Amino acid sequence: MKFLLRDDPEMAKLVKQEEVRIDSTLNLIAAENHSPRSIMEIMGSIFNTKTIEGYPGNRHHAGCKHVDTVENLAIERAKAVFGAEFVNVQPHSGTSANLAVYFSVLDVGDRILSMSLPHGGHLSHGHRASATSRCFNFKHYALDPSTERIDYEMVRKMALRFQPKMIVTGASSYPRLIDYKKMSEIAKEISAYLLADIAHLAGLVAGKAIPSPVPHCDFVTFTCYKTLMGGRGGMILAKEEFAKKINKSVFPGTQGTSAVNLIAAKAVIMKLASDPKFIEIQKQTLENAAYMASCLVEKGYRVVTGGTDNHQVVVDLSNKGITGAQAEQCLEDCGIVLNRNVVPADAKQPGKTSGIRIGTGALSARYMGKEQMSTIVEWMNQLINNPENPEIQDAVKAGVNDLCTRFPVYANGHDIF
Ligand code: DSN
């Protein structure tokens, strides 16, 4: 960072402070992960400077010899990792990827059926605060109130009544596997397109830790920095028949020039996805989440759906006399970083919430296992039950510090791979 130190010491200091924060705290945010150093290197590389429009072999600017190779590498590697017929690696984000899919085969005002945000869906699945809801006519399915899981028969009935042109499956906060085959049967019954948004799950799918939606869906979208451990940005996988429509919809339909440094990072993480360490981290992520859920249940917590099949555990704190926001704050004060989260049919506002969401991707990228999960749950339990006890806070802070030192992320030249 010597040039940054020269040009903007204030920013260089913030980079250093963030490095220290990352290494000295436990990251349980389900939408984050730690990336290998090579990802940071490629994102900060010379590819940052190139402007591209169009696709490899058909660009609007000269000088694309090397970036064409970069983009083709990202595409070919992603096809191999996910077994996809077609890949577009240009989306700036998951939301951009979803927008591009919607506009590829739908017209403004067309109907889309997706999961409601308070039940685990995503803003870009047609929430009223998202521009997607102003372009398309969304209807949302909720979870079965007794199981807190998707009720496929109810989704089918809604689909038959609403006759959407597209069904979106996938969530930001849903701790169970989705039956993509069932979703595809529903979509086929009404001749609707099926999009799976696997932003949270992409690493687990790439590492073959959970089943893939690719064989069952017309489109699959995701971001690259959650369980996938890559850089920023999104990707679209699709059946070959949609190749032209998707490419046109990404550029020039919904984006201008894309970010070559991010495309290059996508290529790097697609290479690393077949590394045994990556596969081990994904397996450990699943095991750690399941174990954390069982430890929480043992301590009397109500875990949404009673457990998890993926990297997320959603905990309802209604019986603990503390809101999700208060829990988030008291845990962060002691170095345990996670986010407040609504639980299905939450009576509290999204700013407060009744719950918290835990993700085990980043802990697993530090090679932590069951022993550490049980210790972390013990600390969380102590803090949630005693949010203002200075002795407990000091003891947890010391424990977190010790654990972080023993399981470094980047400290002292350490790397994940
Ligand atoms: N969708 C948001 C989340 O899951 O936290 C951000 O990626």
Side-chain angles (χ1 to χ4, degrees):
M1 289 275 157
K2 69 178 177 195
F3 297 107
L4 184 65
L5 201 54
R6 181 194 68 191
D7 294 347
D8 190 343
E10 190 182 357
M11 192 55 76
K13 189 173 161 200
L14 283 167
V15 171
K16 194 74 223 160
Q17 286 172 339
E18 179 65 357
E19 246 178 62
V20 171
R21 186 192 71 81
I22 284 174
D23 248 282
S24 60
T25 56
L26 298 168
N27 184 354
L28 281 72
I29 293 185
E32 294 182 12
N33 214 322
H34 301 305
S35 298
R37 280 179 181 272
S38 52
I39 294 293
M40 253 78 80
E41 282 180 357
I42 192 71
M43 282 197 295
S45 73
I46 203 80
F47 286 125
N48 180 57
T49 60
K50 191 78 193 90
T51 291
I52 53 161
E53 284 178 345
Y55 292 95
N58 184 19
R59 303 285 196 189
H60 295 263
H61 303 80
C64 286
K65 186 163 92 175
H66 300 303
V67 300
D68 277 6
T69 308
V70 166
E71 186 162 347
N72 281 329
L73 258 183
I75 291 168
E76 291 312 315
R77 288 176 179 173
K79 277 186 182 174
V81 167
F82 289 103
E85 292 176 14
F86 165 80
V87 177
N88 185 302
V89 291
Q90 292 198 6
H92 299 315
S93 66
T95 293
S96 305
N98 286 343
L99 255 189
V101 170
Y102 299 154
F103 278 111
S104 70
V105 289
L106 304 180
D107 289 318
V108 169
D110 277 349
R111 294 174 191 178
I112 306 179
L113 182 64
S114 63
M115 190 193 267
S116 86
L117 185 97
H119 285 247
H122 188 252
L123 284 164
S124 65
H125 300 174
H127 187 264
R128 65 180 178 279
S130 159
T132 54
S133 72
R134 293 162 67 180
C135 301
F136 302 101
N137 178 5
F138 279 88
K139 211 175 229 350
H140 296 112
Y141 52 90
L143 298 174
D144 179 323
S146 59
T147 62
E148 298 176 312
R149 297 183 189 221
I150 296 170
D151 175 347
Y152 294 93
E153 195 39 43
M154 194 260 286
V155 174
R156 181 174 168 268
K157 281 187 186 144
M158 280 183 83
L160 288 172
R161 255 198 323 269
F162 185 52
Q163 291 290 316
K165 276 202 178 163
M166 182 179 283
I167 296 178
V168 181
T169 179
S172 270
S173 176
Y174 183 66
R176 294 298 178 176
L177 295 180
I178 290 174
D179 189 335
Y180 299 114
K181 186 164 175 285
K182 259 192 198 151
M183 280 292 188
S184 96
E185 285 163 5
I186 296 169
K188 282 202 180 96
E189 198 176 341
I190 53 160
S191 299
Y193 300 108
L194 181 62
L195 159 63
D197 179 341
I198 59 162
H200 270 265
L201 308 175
L204 298 169
V205 173
K208 310 217 171 355
I210 61 170
S212 167
V214 171
H216 306 290
C217 299
D218 299 301
F219 310 99
V220 175
T221 56
F222 54 90
T223 45
C224 303
Y225 51 85
K226 298 186 175 93
T227 49
L228 192 53
M229 303 174 75
R232 312 305 298 184
M235 266 198 225
I236 301 171
L237 317 178
K239 300 276 186 235
E240 184 62 40
E241 63 184 286
F242 302 112
K244 276 199 183 128
K245 285 184 172 165
I246 288 288
N247 277 352
K248 263 175 70 181
S249 187
V250 173
F251 175 86
T254 52
Q255 287 190 179
T257 181
S258 190
V260 182
N261 57 333
L262 301 193
I263 292 174
K266 290 168 197 177
V268 174
I269 201 63
M270 287 299 99
K271 177 168 190 295
L272 292 177
S274 54
D275 188 298
K277 284 188 181 161
F278 179 93
I279 291 162
E280 177 56 31
I281 288 170
Q282 300 303 332
K283 192 169 149 260
Q284 194 64 52
T285 298
L286 272 194
E287 284 177 15
N288 282 344
Y291 188 64
M292 259 194 157
S294 69
C295 293
L296 283 158
V297 167
E298 210 170 276
K299 290 193 184 299
Y301 286 84
R302 198 187 82 75
V303 168
V304 170
T305 76
T308 178
D309 299 325
N310 59 30
H311 65 303
Q312 295 183 354
V313 184
V314 184
V315 189
D316 183 353
L317 298 173
S318 304
N319 62 349
K320 294 285 170 187
I322 188 169
T323 66
Q326 287 165 332
E328 176 188 301
Q329 188 61 58
C330 84
L331 292 168
E332 183 175 4
D333 288 346
C334 295
I336 299 173
V337 184
L338 48 67
N339 66 288
R340 61 185 172 279
N341 213 88
V342 288
V343 296
D346 204 326
K348 293 200 171 66
Q349 292 300 309
K352 278 201 172 133
T353 78
S354 299
I356 50 174
R357 183 184 62 170
I358 293 169
T360 51
L363 298 178
S364 308
R366 295 174 99 147
Y367 299 98
M368 291 184 187
K370 279 187 173 175
E371 188 188 331
Q372 292 73 41
M373 297 307 115
S374 132
T375 305
I376 294 166
V377 168
E378 175 58 34
W379 290 334
M380 287 170 64
N381 183 42
Q382 286 176 13
L383 291 169
I384 286 169
N385 286 320
N386 309 278
E388 283 165 21
N389 181 321
E391 276 165 27
I392 288 177
Q393 286 169 339
D394 286 347
V396 173
K397 279 181 200 170
V400 168
N401 194 44
D402 173 61
L403 194 57
C404 289
T405 311
R406 287 191 288 120
F407 292 87
V409 188
Y410 305 120
N412 303 317
H414 191 266
D415 188 20
I416 290 160
F417 277 57

